[in-house]
Amino acid sequence: MIPRVHKRGSNTFGLLNYLYGKGTHEEHIDPHLVAAWDSFAPDPGRDPHATKRQLQQALEQLLDQPVQTLAESRRPAKHVWHLSVRAAPDDPHLTDAQWGEIARRMVAATGIAPAADESACRWAAVRHADDHIHIIATLVREDGRRPRLNNDARRSQTEARLIEAEYGLKQLSTGDGTAAQRPTSAERHKAQRQGRERTAREELRESVRRAVTGARSEEEFFDRLAAAGLLIRKREAPSGDLLGYKVALPDDRNKDGEPVFYPGARLAPDLSLPRIRERWSADLDKTPSADSPGTASPNSPSAARRRTTTTAWAAIGIIEHGDDAVAAAYIAATGEVLDALAKTSAAHTRSELRDAAFAFERASRSHVRAVRGHDRALRQAARDLVHEGPALGRGEDGATTAMAIDMLFFLVTAAAHWHTRKGHAQQAEAAARAAAHLRNAYQPAAAQPLGVLYQRGRRLSRPALQRQTVLLRETLPGLAEQILAEPGWYALAATIAEADATGHDPAALLSDAVESRELGTADSVSDVLVWRLRRRADLPADATGIPENPTVKKPATVRPSAARTTAPGRRFGEEASGNTR
């Protein structure tokens, strides 16, 4: 249930005319009162003995009577209070009587009409659709005083949570005032008419976020906005200093044919120019790192993805154990990395990555103010992704995309856990939704590179597979049987063989990969270990072209006691393949 306190107004009749009218798109059906301060208040939607206009005027006069009794100098300029209360799309149908009771609870909770207060404000609740009501009230009490409406929006949210529990409705999370402004109903209807998936406000917010991603100056930021095709208006002081900006979509026009501009702060709190400038408090590197592990060129999409993976790995520990202000900065910068990856990834992953970035946007802000500058490494990673350009989605590009998505899943999950610990319900939920989209994006990204490794693992010799199985059981006794039962075990076995052949200690790599970060949220532990080992051992993310059955430079040490752990009676083929089901 979503209550929303609207801006205060001065025209009672105008609001009543809207509530009892057909709506901007004929969406108002059967408008009528469900509750009011006085059971004898006229209902323009029901009384057959007078015209609707006459009844609206009568209701207006009754609502405004306490205002009119005051001397003109004492009347508030904005005396009309307006609250809408909307049920969630999958909530059960509520009756007029239930909506009437909800209206009474809302006016009591917000201070409009406290229970048993005979001098409270006059109010009326109008229902003109199945899923919501509007409450209109006059902000002068019967005794001529003003109502106490401090934090009326927050109090309406608190009451909504109680109503949801009592009526068996969908339980929503209470906001904390840091969310981006919701699109209005008029904006949603306009988007539907124009065939847009999202409103102009939402499209602009995404475009501005992407323009900010990794930018290091105002000039670069505005150049990116222009390159995205947005119309831009800048607000300057008489001195010529830039104070703010507005943006518009070229094809989003008002009734006069003029572009509809939105200030950055109206798109999201952190997209105002002063808040964007905070991101530039620490300069980014002018060039990406000179070296990149694996076979990728130092300046390539795949190299940028590998650097992103390494940076995200370090960021997880900071979010889990760092200072709150620093963790908040890293979480905010994580949103930039998601935007950059969505912008530069191949078509088969782009949609889910875009949805992940869109969902995580809510998780990037809270009342914990981020201390910018600490997030420099993540913002540099986002910049590298943008500047190295789109990945083709095949070969090393595709494999490093899967590797990056896998690591970002754990980074976003760490952000969700951080928000949960801080009691940020909406942000935690948004991060969880972003993680779900990352899971979906991972599958098509990882299919080809893991498929190559899987086939390579299946073709390993029986003695080699036996060595890997024994090594796994000895090194990870608590996880070994789970991993051996997963389809991804063969890809992990192939990766262990490569690491062994290139002079690494597979046991140390496995232990470090497991102990340093959680695995409980992984769909496939073996998949996660593949990417962690390949990153640690500087192995190419894509195994295509690597010789099969490479010469082992440093064979794994197998203690005799480990070899004797094979279950009695099990055939060698079952042991070697890890088939424990």
Side-chain angles (χ1 to χ4, degrees), residues 44 57 67 72 78 87 92 135 162 186 193 206 220 248 268-269 308 315 398 402 470 482 525-526 538 561 564 575:
Q57 289 172 334
V67 179
E72 193 168 341
K78 303 283 187 181
I135 303 173
L162 297 175
R193 292 197 313 273
E206 182 177 46
E220 183 177 5
T308 296
V470 171
Q482 176 185 344
V525 174
S526 50
D538 291 352
S561 59
R564 288 195 296 270
E575 171 67 22

Side-chain angles (χ1 to χ4, degrees), residues 325-580:
V326 176
Y330 271 81
I331 290 172
T334 298
E336 294 193 40
V337 175
L338 290 173
D339 277 317
L341 192 63
K343 183 178 180 178
T344 58
S345 288
H348 64 293
T349 56
R350 190 179 305 138
S351 177
E352 288 288 354
L353 289 174
R354 182 187 177 194
D355 288 343
F358 188 82
F360 192 80
E361 185 263 346
R362 178 67 188 98
S364 64
R365 293 184 305 275
S366 70
H367 281 303
V368 179
R369 189 66 178 266
V371 178
R372 307 308 296 235
H374 296 284
D375 55 350
R376 180 173 177 266
L378 270 180
R379 293 200 68 241
Q380 183 64 48
R383 183 178 180 82
D384 287 352
L385 289 170
V386 172
H387 277 260
E388 299 308 336
L392 298 176
R394 300 187 300 273
E396 187 73 3
D397 281 356
T400 52
T401 296
M403 182 185 288
I405 293 172
D406 174 77
M407 190 62 68
L408 287 171
F409 169 83
F410 286 95
L411 178 57
V412 167
T413 301
H417 292 164
W418 185 86
H419 280 304
T420 298
R421 293 196 300 272
K422 299 301 173 186
H424 304 158
Q426 286 192 351
Q427 290 89 335
E429 182 184 14
R433 282 190 282 111
H437 286 297
L438 288 173
R439 283 183 189 271
N440 294 339
Y442 172 80
Q443 299 301 326
Q448 187 273 334
L450 287 180
V452 171
L453 287 170
Y454 174 86
Q455 293 299 331
R456 178 161 297 186
R458 289 297 299 260
R459 291 193 292 268
L460 285 174
S461 65
R462 287 188 175 185
L465 267 175
Q466 185 183 39
R467 285 196 302 271
Q468 316 299 26
T469 302
V470 171
L471 172 68
L472 186 71
R473 285 188 167 132
E474 184 181 64
T475 307
L476 307 177
L479 287 171
E481 299 309 318
Q482 176 185 344
I483 293 172
L484 289 169
E486 292 178 348
W489 155 241
Y490 290 106
L492 179 59
T495 297
I496 293 172
E498 283 183 55
D500 199 7
T502 52
H504 294 279
D505 181 353
L509 288 174
L510 282 168
S511 296
D512 185 43
V514 170
E515 293 171 2
S516 53
R517 294 288 182 270
E518 63 93 12
L519 288 165
T521 54
D523 285 340
S524 169
V525 174
S526 50
D527 282 13
V528 173
L529 293 179
V530 164
W531 300 123
R532 291 184 183 180
L533 262 63
R534 300 192 79 80
R535 184 181 63 82
R536 278 174 166 74
D538 291 352
L539 299 174
D542 178 49
T544 304
I546 298 175
E548 297 199 39
N549 297 315
T551 302
V552 177
K553 297 180 180 179
K554 179 183 167 188
T557 301
V558 180
R559 297 198 300 267
S561 59
R564 288 195 296 270
T565 61
T566 302
R570 177 172 290 166
R571 290 179 298 172
F572 176 77
E574 292 175 344
E575 171 67 22
S577 67
N579 183 6
T580 61

